[in-house]
């Protein structure tokens, strides 16, 4: 039998299109031909199961890749189903006709649903991206079949004739182009095959043709296919007097060794961990798999094993890695597989964007891939897969928080960027995680959001019920109000009456800190009043708390320096309050003039902590806007001094310096003291800009000189 002809193709220029456009990476031909080889093995095993063929005794499914750098060839050999001349005509000569699809349609009612890897007839033609010409030698499993030899030089002409192959299966020989010789280099071939084929379902071996290398094994380790070059006898040891004295003891003979032709290297794991059920996997196996696949020798924090059969088939393992956020980029890698065949990393249609910070593998045979398998077709089914993965991650985290809170606390600093980013990107994920988000308080303890809402209630209620006293400590008649503006009676009970409904709607405040060192004065005030706040010092925290506020109408976040609540003030009589209001007007003007800030608001309050002379507050809304401006460097403005708007300077009427200013408005050094009080308050909020810091240091020196005189 000999035949020549033209390939039946859909375009006159199919090969240039394949070479240039079909696949973005030329090394992908390895994936395609090895996938087809595994596909052929799956088919012949189905024939055996259905009684249409009997596999030979000792049959071991395998794919061999044989390199010959001298001849510039690569051979891909399988012991699969093989092809008849008619099948070569149909599946090879008629490009873009899928043999795998036809096979499944023909036998779908006769066997179980073992997956066939190949979905695209064009896969074989990826070999022409790297080859000057390609040969196929194949022998079908059918009893009366003749072997077939097929060649094509990458044009539209082919040659097909009887072949000489004796064993059932297929050998594809690639004669590489000069610019693609790297692919028959052993190290390059191993790298590419391990990238695409590490978990294919049948063993894949790599070897060099006419291998001259050797290795030494014990005689007991010899396999039937080993080629023995030399037998190495054990060295004879001279018998010592000590040895001869040990009568009755059997001398253990040393085993012979064999020098053999170097064996082909096994390159894949046919039973990846994700294909097992979670109960059959140990922690050590999960960690070893992580090290092997991701070359990361830091242990993962924990992992999620996905295992789903309905309504779609999906398996995988997602690892939460330990990341040093200060020195490492938070970039993960999730490898996507289709029937154990590597497709791509981080395909955003399948993997929710925020989970790409994780490391993991996902195998989904039902993915609607395009011809090159490197991207997904637009399909609503893909969105369901993405939603499922997101749901399982949320369930795992919630379960961990409920059943293993101690470890969940330990993990939080590492996993919080993933979770916070996820809450920003996915509303459903945010809703599922709402009650399992943790906040670290000033003592380093982690609390959930519901717990965080309760922490300051006791201190606030105590402050609201506290008796009002004048500056001499005498009880005065004063209206005391709680945090919601409701009047409180002498027994500390709120007279809410018809305001009860409004109270329920009033949001609870959660206080937070962004810089423990910078805001230490405020922290000390909080602790003194047995109040608590949470540390939110990551860049993502600003948008994150805004997201939580939008999802929880009953809460609001406020930085501890945004306002001064009644908890920190001494109660004063109405008479004293009116006096302070009068003084505020005059001192306020004097202070604005001294510090050259007309936007500054000045208030006089009696603080419980008499050591504090002045404080600066910036409203939460103003500061968030300024933070946003800093983040985007809006209009090139420098915002290191918090800007000049939205500031309120609070002067403590209980402090001697403030009393001095109140009593000596025309004093010689009042302006200097005003400037110093202002800068002392500012420096507790944020670093001073260069000019302000220079003035502050110089002024401090001047003040010390006055003390020294």
């Amino acid at each position: 039998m000999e035949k020549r002809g033209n390939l039946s193709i859909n375009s006159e220029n199919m090969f240039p299109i394949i070479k240039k456009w079909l696949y973005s990476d030329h090394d992908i031909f390895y994936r395609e031909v090895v996938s087809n080889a595994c596909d052929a093995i799956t088919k012949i095993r189905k024939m055996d199961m259905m009684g249409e063929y009997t596999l030979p005794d000792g049959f071991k499914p395998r794919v061999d890749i044989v390199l010959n750098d001298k001849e510039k060839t690569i051979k891909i050999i399988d012991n699969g189903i093989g092809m008849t001349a008619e099948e070569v005509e149909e599946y090879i000569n008629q490009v873009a006709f899928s043999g795998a699809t036809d096979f499944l349609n023909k036998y779908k009612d006769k066997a179980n649903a073992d997956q066939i890897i190949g979905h695209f007839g064009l896969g074989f033609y990826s070999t022409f991206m790297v080859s000057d010409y390609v040969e196929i030698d194949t022998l079908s499993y059918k009893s009366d079949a003749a072997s077939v030899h097929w060649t094509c030089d990458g044009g539209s002409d082919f040659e097909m004739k009887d072949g000489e192959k004796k064993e059932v299966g297929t050998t594809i020989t690639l004669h590489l182009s000069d610019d693609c010789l790297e692919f028959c280099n052993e190290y390059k071939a191993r790298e590419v095959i391990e990238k695409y084929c590490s978990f294919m379902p049948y063993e894949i071996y790599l070897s060099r043709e006419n291998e001259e290398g050797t290795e030494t094994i014990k005689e007991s380790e010899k396999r039937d296919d080993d080629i023995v070059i030399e037998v190495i006898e054990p060295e004879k040891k001279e018998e010592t007097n000590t040895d001869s004295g040990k009568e009755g003891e059997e001398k253990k003979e040393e085993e012979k060794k064999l020098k053999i032709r170097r064996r082909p290297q096994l390159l894949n794991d046919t039973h990846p961990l994700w294909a097992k059920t979670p109960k059959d996997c140990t922690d050590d196996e999960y960690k070893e798999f992580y090290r092997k696949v991701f070359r990361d020798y830091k242990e993962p924090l924990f992992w999620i094993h996905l295992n789903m059969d309905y309504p779609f088939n999906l398996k995988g393992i997602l690892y939460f890695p330990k990341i040093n956020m200060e020195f490492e980029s938070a970039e993960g890698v999730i490898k996507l597989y289709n029937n154990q065949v590597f497709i791509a990393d981080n395909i955003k249609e399948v993997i929710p964007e925020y989970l790409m910070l994780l490391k993991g593998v996902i195998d989904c045979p039902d993915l609607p891939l395009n011809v090159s398998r490197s991207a997904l077709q637009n399909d609503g089914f893909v969105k369901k897969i993405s939603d499922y993965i997101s749901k399982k991650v949320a369930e795992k985290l919630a379960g961990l928080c409920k059943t293993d809170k101690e470890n969940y606390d330990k993990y939080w600093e590492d996993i919080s960027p993933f979770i916070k980013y996820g809450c920003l990107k996915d509303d459903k994920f945010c809703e599922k995680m709402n009650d399992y988000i943790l906040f670290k308080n000033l003592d380093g303890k982690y609390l959930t959001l519901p717990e965080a809402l309760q922490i300051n209630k006791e201190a606030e209620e105590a402050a609201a019920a506290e008796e009002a006293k004048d500056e001499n400590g005498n009880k005065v008649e004063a209206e005391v109000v709680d945090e919601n503006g409701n009047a409180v009676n002498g027994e500390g009970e709120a007279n809410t009456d018809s305001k009860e409904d409004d109270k329920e709607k009033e949001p609870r405040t959660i206080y937070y800190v962004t810089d423990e060192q910078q805001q230490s004065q405020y922290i000390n005030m909080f602790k003194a009043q047995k109040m608590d706040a949470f540390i939110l010092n990551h860049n993502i925290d600003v948008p994150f708390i805004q997201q939580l506020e939008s999802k929880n109408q009953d809460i609001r976040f406020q930085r501890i320096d945004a306002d001064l609540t009644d908890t920190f003030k001494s109660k004063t009589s109405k008479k004293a309050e009116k006096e302070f209001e009068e003084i505020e007007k005059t001192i306020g003007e004097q202070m604005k003039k001294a510090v050259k800030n007309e936007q500054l608001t000045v208030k006089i309050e009696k603080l419980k902590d008499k050591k504090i002379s002045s404080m600066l507050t910036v409203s939460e809304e103003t500061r968030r806007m300024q933070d946003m401006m800093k983040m985007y460097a809006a209009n090139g403005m420098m915002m290191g001094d918090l800007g000049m708007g939205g500031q309120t300077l609070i002067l403590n009427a209980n402090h001697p310096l403030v009393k001095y200013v109140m009593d000596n408005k025309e004093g010689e050094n009042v302006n200097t003291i005003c400037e110093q009080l202002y800068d002392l308050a500012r420096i507790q909020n944020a670093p001073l800009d260069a000019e302000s810091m220079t003035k502050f240091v110089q002024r401090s020196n001047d003040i010390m000189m006055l003390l020294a005189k």
Side-chain angles (χ1 to χ4, degrees), residues 215-222 228 230-236 252-260:
E215 60 181 291
T216 302
I217 62 169
K218 293 179 181 178
E219 187 177 32
S220 59
E221 297 172 344
K222 182 181 177 299
V228 179
E230 180 185 351
V231 178
I232 304 172
E233 297 287 345
E235 292 183 12
K236 291 185 178 180
K252 188 177 181 181
E253 290 190 11
E254 202 171 321
E255 191 176 354
K256 292 180 183 179
K257 293 184 178 178
L258 306 177
K259 182 184 283 188
I260 62 170

Side-chain angles (χ1 to χ4, degrees), residues 643-676:
M644 302 300 282
Q647 295 182 353
T648 299
L649 178 66
I650 297 167
L651 300 174
N652 185 5
N654 281 332
H655 195 279
L657 269 178
V658 176
K659 287 180 180 178
Y660 177 83
V661 173
M662 290 166 64
D663 297 337
N664 299 275
K665 301 179 184 65
E666 304 299 328
E668 180 183 355
N669 297 314
V670 167
N671 278 354
T672 299
I673 294 173
C674 285
E675 289 179 291
Q676 195 74 352

Side-chain angles (χ1 to χ4, degrees), residues 204-235:
I204 301 166
Y205 291 91
L206 179 68
S207 61
R208 293 167 60 186
E209 199 161 13
N210 303 318
E211 175 66 68
E212 296 177 358
T214 62
E215 60 181 291
T216 302
I217 62 169
K218 293 179 181 178
E219 187 177 32
S220 59
E221 297 172 344
K222 182 181 177 299
R223 300 191 310 223
D224 292 341
D225 57 345
D226 286 330
I227 299 174
V228 179
I229 297 172
E230 180 185 351
V231 178
I232 304 172
E233 297 287 345
E235 292 183 12

Side-chain angles (χ1 to χ4, degrees), residues 127-378:
T127 57
F128 288 97
M129 294 190 297
V130 296
S131 308
D132 285 334
Y133 72 98
V134 177
E135 299 178 80
I136 298 175
D137 287 282
T138 184
L139 176 63
S140 173
Y141 74 99
K142 295 177 180 177
S143 57
D144 57 346
S147 65
V148 180
H149 179 76
W150 179 95
T151 58
C152 180
D153 63 1
S156 59
D157 295 328
F158 70 88
E159 181 178 332
M160 187 168 69
K161 60 184 180 182
D162 289 339
E164 299 178 358
K165 188 169 176 56
K166 305 299 182 185
E167 301 87 16
V168 172
T170 300
T171 299
I172 297 175
T173 305
L174 315 184
H175 297 263
L176 297 177
S177 310
D178 287 339
D179 59 345
C180 296
L181 295 180
E182 61 175 325
F183 293 116
C184 67
N185 175 280
E186 181 179 351
Y187 300 102
K188 178 66 175 178
R190 185 190 301 120
E191 175 192 333
V192 176
I193 295 163
E194 287 180 348
K195 173 184 175 182
Y196 291 113
C197 311
S198 283
F199 301 105
M200 284 192 183
Y202 304 111
E203 292 181 348
I204 301 166
Y205 291 91
L206 179 68
S207 61
R208 293 167 60 186
E209 199 161 13
N210 303 318
E211 175 66 68
E212 296 177 358
T214 62
E215 60 181 291
T216 302
I217 62 169
K218 293 179 181 178
E219 187 177 32
S220 59
E221 297 172 344
K222 182 181 177 299
R223 300 191 310 223
D224 292 341
D225 57 345
D226 286 330
I227 299 174
V228 179
I229 297 172
E230 180 185 351
V231 178
I232 304 172
E233 297 287 345
E235 292 183 12
K236 291 185 178 180
K237 295 181 180 179
E238 292 185 12
E239 190 175 290
T240 64
N241 291 332
T242 307
D243 293 333
S244 59
K246 294 180 180 179
E247 296 181 5
E249 288 187 9
E250 289 187 9
K251 294 180 181 178
K252 188 177 181 181
E253 290 190 11
E254 202 171 321
E255 191 176 354
K256 292 180 183 179
K257 293 184 178 178
L258 306 177
K259 182 184 283 188
I260 62 170
R261 183 75 47 82
R262 194 171 71 153
R263 293 170 176 171
Q265 305 166 58
L266 178 64
L267 298 185
N268 65 320
D269 177 1
T270 59
H271 300 288
L273 196 63
W274 74 74
K276 300 179 182 179
T277 56
K279 66 181 177 62
D280 294 331
C281 305
T282 66
D283 285 359
D284 287 341
E285 285 178 321
Y286 282 117
K287 292 172 185 176
E288 177 58 32
F289 183 79
Y290 179 77
R291 285 192 289 269
K292 176 183 175 183
V293 175
F294 302 106
R295 306 286 196 271
D296 187 347
Y297 292 90
K298 295 191 296 293
E299 282 195 1
L301 299 170
F302 59 94
W303 47 85
I304 300 171
H305 195 141
L306 306 169
N307 194 337
M308 184 176 184
D309 296 320
Y310 180 83
F312 46 79
N313 191 344
L314 183 145
K315 290 177 172 58
I317 305 171
L318 297 179
Y319 290 91
F320 279 75
K322 187 173 180 59
I323 294 176
N324 185 336
M325 297 297 289
E326 189 173 351
F327 301 110
E328 299 175 359
S329 60
E331 292 182 8
V333 55
I334 295 183
K335 297 176 177 292
L336 187 64
Y337 290 81
N338 182 279
N339 279 317
Q340 299 177 216
V341 180
F342 176 72
I343 303 301
D345 290 328
N346 292 359
I347 294 186
K348 63 182 184 300
E349 292 91 345
V350 178
I351 315 299
E353 184 181 357
Y354 57 93
L355 291 182
M356 289 185 186
L357 299 171
L358 306 183
K359 294 182 179 180
V361 293
I362 287 176
D363 191 344
C364 186
D366 300 330
L367 287 176
L369 301 173
N370 69 4
V371 167
S372 70
R373 309 190 201 195
S374 61
L376 297 175
Q377 297 169 349
N378 187 13

Side-chain angles (χ1 to χ4, degrees), residues 434 437-441 447-457 460 483 507-513 526 531-536 544-545 548-549 552 554-562 565 620 623-624:
N434 191 77
I437 295 159
L438 298 188
F439 297 91
K440 185 167 76 171
N441 72 1
L447 304 177
T448 62
L449 186 57
E451 291 169 338
L453 291 170
Q454 305 300 319
I455 60 168
N456 290 322
K457 270 191 173 182
E460 290 166 349
E483 63 173 46
R508 287 280 302 159
T509 300
I510 296 177
Y511 297 99
Y512 67 97
V513 175
F526 262 62
M531 291 188 66
D532 210 344
F534 298 97
I535 299 166
L536 296 172
F544 173 64
I545 60 177
L548 287 184
E549 286 172 335
N552 300 271
D554 58 336
I555 65 171
R556 68 186 177 104
F557 286 84
Q558 182 172 298
R559 206 166 84 175
I560 59 174
D561 56 0
T565 67
E620 184 73 15
R623 190 186 48 73
R624 287 193 194 184

